[in-house]
Amino acid sequence: VNEKKNVEIPSDSRSESSDGLPSDVEEQFEDAGVESMDEFSDDSSSAVEKSTSNMKFDFDELSDSEDEQLADEFDEDDDVDLDDMDIEEASKRLDKRKLEDENLAEEELQTNIAERESGKEDGIEEDSDLALINNRIQENVRILNNFKDLGDGRSRSEYVAQMLKDIAAYYGYNDFLVEKLFNLFPVSEAIEFFEANEVPRPIVIRTNTLKTRRRDLGQALINRGVNLEPVGKWSKVGLQVFESPVPIGATPEYLAGHYMLQAASSFLPVVSLAPKENERILDMAAAPGGKTTYIAALQKNTGCLFANDANAERCKALVANIHRLGIRNSIVCNYDGREFPGVLGNFDRVLLDAPCSGTGVISKDQSVKLNKSEEDFAMLSHLQKELILAAIDSVDANSKTGGYMVYSTCSVTVEENEAVVDYALRKRPNVKLVSTGLDFGKEGFASFRGKNFHPSLNLTRRYYPHTHNMDGFFVAKFKKLANKSFKIEPTEKKVAEEVKKVEAKGSKNKNEVGFNDAADAKLIEAIRNKNEKKTGKRGVVAK
């Protein structure tokens, strides 16, 4: 059997024996010493296996394509040369490879299933954790609202600290900002504020009265399938859009300049400014043009409107909206607002919608929750203070119809609103706060967490998303009383007060201290000369 035997058996000449083999094959077995196939018992088969072990076949050197070719050869050719091929070893390797492939496939399947199950479990845990946090927030609100009766021994500060931590985790704020916003409201109202920031504000459009009327615009949009209604009694040009089968920013009416997509809160500073026809007005931070075009519409394209913005890229959108809405009385300029009135001054009215942190529009920009720090608020507050002084100085107090300046932000923090207005009142005593002319909104803070502001700050107005269903906003209106603020020098003021006291009291006896005109004449003249050098005018002193 071990010897190589090339046996060629014609297919048409084979005949089977009683063992089921062709006769010539049976003869060959007999020549090899095998009388019958029955002799291949279990014992004899081991000898055959041993004898075939000398046949070698190197499968490691074959590629996949060569394996396939070999398989095809086994199928197509019955006459296989077994000199260099170990059939048993090849079979074992094939079985082993097949088993490995099956194991890999099973492992991959199990891994995918495990990942899906793991992801599902993680999601459930996360949901259950958030639900637990939310329940704890609601329970802490209930306790803090009635702390005297429901407190369980822990201090109020411990409850507040736990609540701030939970709010930060549940709504996704950083620790600094969540505390700053939480302190603005009572406990229950604070949760309402955070919840409102998770819901987008309604879409509002402003009718461009230079081209159409609100009734006609509303009817045209309703004919296109838009569901809308007036934004409120406080505005005669606003429409609130509930749903639209067409993009509200791509209708023929929009492209024709019949309306402007504009948040309801940004109507407020323009309504407060109350521009008149033929006035000279400055919008100090105008881009993208919603307030500017509203001012021009109220002016009926008369007078002169200067639309300034410090960002040249944003000025492109400003120019585009001015052209689309048919504004013809505006001049677009690109200056830092702090350069006014050096660039241009003596305006009848000035609107300053100052750059701010955006804490009133979190529903539009969720990144505010994490990217605002204490340094950001300090920097913005400093910039706002510089801008508000420049805006006040740009107003002409002698204007026959105006002399007003409106300051607004889309922020709800005290540092950017009441603190800035109070700073302006201290630095510019020639201005005062007046009513905003808005018949709704909450009063500004006259005091906040131990810090007292000017009492007239109750004339300012605050707007919140959870109470007014609009972006958080702040509006303050100033009236300029004089173009220059005259200040009395401390020494002069002190001397004048002493003179008044002595003159009112009179000299009752010779030991009482009083003024000697001859002795004080030189001092009074020196003060008068000093004041003349500084102001170019005769100083004001008591005689």
Side-chain angles (χ1 to χ4, degrees), residues 247-270:
I248 202 67
T251 63
E253 288 78 14
Y254 175 83
L255 299 176
H258 289 186
Y259 64 88
M260 178 80 174
L261 276 167
Q262 188 172 352
S265 57
S266 67
F267 291 19
L268 302 174
V270 179

Side-chain angles (χ1 to χ4, degrees), residues 22 52 61 89 123 134 196 220 252 262 276 298 318 402 444 461 488 518 524 529:
T52 57
E61 296 179 357
E89 184 68 21
N134 189 32
Q262 188 172 352
K276 307 297 182 184
L298 292 175
L318 172 61
R461 288 293 178 266
I488 301 177
I524 294 172
N529 292 336

Side-chain angles (χ1 to χ4, degrees), residues 120-134 170:
K120 185 176 179 181
E121 291 173 0
D122 291 344
I124 293 174
E125 289 180 4
E126 183 178 0
D127 292 340
S128 63
D129 288 343
L130 289 177
L132 179 64
I133 292 173
N134 189 32
Y170 189 77

Side-chain angles (χ1 to χ4, degrees), residues 208-340:
N208 180 16
T209 54
L210 295 175
K211 292 191 174 185
T212 187
R213 296 184 302 172
R214 183 169 69 172
R215 178 185 300 175
D216 298 335
L217 174 63
Q219 188 60 51
L221 293 177
I222 289 173
N223 292 340
R224 297 188 185 279
V226 180
N227 185 11
L228 49 77
E229 68 176 18
V231 72
K233 295 181 179 180
W234 58 273
S235 174
K236 296 181 179 180
V237 294
L239 288 170
Q240 182 174 331
V241 178
F242 296 101
E243 59 179 347
S244 174
V246 294
I248 202 67
T251 63
E253 288 78 14
Y254 175 83
L255 299 176
H258 289 186
Y259 64 88
M260 178 80 174
L261 276 167
Q262 188 172 352
S265 57
S266 67
F267 291 19
L268 302 174
V270 179
V271 173
S272 180
L273 186 66
K276 307 297 182 184
E277 296 181 31
N278 299 309
E279 285 187 333
R280 196 163 174 264
I281 298 177
L282 169 65
D283 187 354
M284 190 172 280
K291 301 177 187 67
T292 300
T293 53
Y294 192 11
I295 293 172
L298 292 175
Q299 286 188 290
K300 299 180 180 178
N301 259 340
T302 63
C304 188
L305 173 59
F306 290 84
N308 176 75
D309 200 272
N311 190 326
E313 288 298 318
R314 286 169 57 86
C315 284
K316 295 178 182 179
L318 172 61
V319 172
N321 283 318
I322 285 175
H323 282 297
R324 183 174 61 83
L325 274 71
I327 309 302
R328 299 193 303 271
N329 69 336
S330 63
I331 299 172
V332 177
C333 48
N334 175 219
Y335 290 100
D336 188 325
R338 293 170 289 187
E339 296 181 20
F340 289 89

Side-chain angles (χ1 to χ4, degrees), residues 91-157:
S91 177
K92 288 182 178 179
R93 291 196 180 189
L94 287 172
D95 291 342
K96 183 179 179 181
R97 179 176 296 180
K98 183 178 179 180
L99 182 62
E100 289 177 352
D101 290 342
E102 290 177 354
N103 291 338
L104 288 174
E106 182 66 20
E107 289 177 4
E108 183 176 359
L109 178 62
Q110 293 299 328
T111 301
N112 292 337
I113 293 174
E115 288 178 354
R116 287 196 298 270
E117 291 179 350
S118 176
K120 185 176 179 181
E121 291 173 0
D122 291 344
I124 293 174
E125 289 180 4
E126 183 178 0
D127 292 340
S128 63
D129 288 343
L130 289 177
L132 179 64
I133 292 173
N134 189 32
N135 291 336
R136 189 163 59 223
I137 290 174
Q138 300 304 326
E139 178 64 18
N140 287 340
V141 168
R142 189 179 68 86
I143 293 173
L144 290 173
N145 284 335
N146 191 11
F147 187 74
K148 183 177 180 180
D149 297 332
L150 301 178
D152 60 356
R154 288 190 297 170
S155 66
R156 187 180 183 88
S157 60

Side-chain angles (χ1 to χ4, degrees), residues 226-491:
V226 180
N227 185 11
L228 49 77
E229 68 176 18
V231 72
K233 295 181 179 180
W234 58 273
S235 174
K236 296 181 179 180
V237 294
L239 288 170
Q240 182 174 331
V241 178
F242 296 101
E243 59 179 347
S244 174
V246 294
I248 202 67
T251 63
E253 288 78 14
Y254 175 83
L255 299 176
H258 289 186
Y259 64 88
M260 178 80 174
L261 276 167
Q262 188 172 352
S265 57
S266 67
F267 291 19
L268 302 174
V270 179
V271 173
S272 180
L273 186 66
K276 307 297 182 184
E277 296 181 31
N278 299 309
E279 285 187 333
R280 196 163 174 264
I281 298 177
L282 169 65
D283 187 354
M284 190 172 280
K291 301 177 187 67
T292 300
T293 53
Y294 192 11
I295 293 172
L298 292 175
Q299 286 188 290
K300 299 180 180 178
N301 259 340
T302 63
C304 188
L305 173 59
F306 290 84
N308 176 75
D309 200 272
N311 190 326
E313 288 298 318
R314 286 169 57 86
C315 284
K316 295 178 182 179
L318 172 61
V319 172
N321 283 318
I322 285 175
H323 282 297
R324 183 174 61 83
L325 274 71
I327 309 302
R328 299 193 303 271
N329 69 336
S330 63
I331 299 172
V332 177
C333 48
N334 175 219
Y335 290 100
D336 188 325
R338 293 170 289 187
E339 296 181 20
F340 289 89
V343 176
L344 206 60
N346 295 323
F347 294 98
D348 295 311
R349 298 172 196 262
V350 174
L351 172 62
L352 172 59
D353 185 33
C356 64
S357 63
T359 51
V361 292
I362 294 176
S363 61
K364 293 180 181 178
D365 184 8
Q366 297 287 318
S367 65
V368 175
K369 294 179 178 181
L370 296 173
N371 64 11
K372 297 302 178 186
S373 62
E374 187 173 3
E375 292 76 15
D376 294 324
F377 282 94
M379 179 190 68
L380 287 168
S381 178
H382 180 72
L383 174 61
Q384 290 157 353
K385 289 174 181 178
E386 291 180 314
L387 288 172
I388 196 171
L389 294 184
I392 291 173
D393 294 341
S394 299
V395 176
D396 182 11
N398 298 324
S399 171
K400 295 180 180 180
T401 59
Y404 295 98
M405 194 279 289
V406 169
Y407 173 81
S408 64
T409 69
C410 56
S411 172
V412 296
T413 60
V414 174
E415 291 85 349
E416 299 176 88
N417 297 323
E418 285 87 352
V420 174
V421 172
D422 182 70
Y423 172 84
L425 291 173
R426 287 187 284 107
K427 290 295 182 179
R428 295 293 184 269
N430 57 328
V431 298
K432 68 174 183 177
L433 284 174
V434 295
S435 173
T436 60
L438 301 169
D439 56 2
F440 71 106
K442 292 191 174 183
E443 294 183 358
F445 293 108
S447 62
F448 181 75
R449 298 180 67 80
K451 185 174 183 179
N452 295 322
F453 301 118
H454 196 280
S456 63
L457 274 162
N458 59 5
L459 295 172
T460 63
R461 288 293 178 266
R462 283 177 156 264
Y463 300 89
Y464 299 116
H466 64 286
T467 55
H468 305 102
N469 198 22
M470 61 175 64
D471 295 329
F473 225 79
F474 175 84
V475 180
K477 187 174 184 179
F478 294 85
K479 170 66 176 176
K480 192 170 183 179
L481 305 175
N483 284 331
K484 289 187 178 181
S485 178
F486 297 101
K487 296 181 180 179
I488 301 177
E489 295 292 333
T491 305

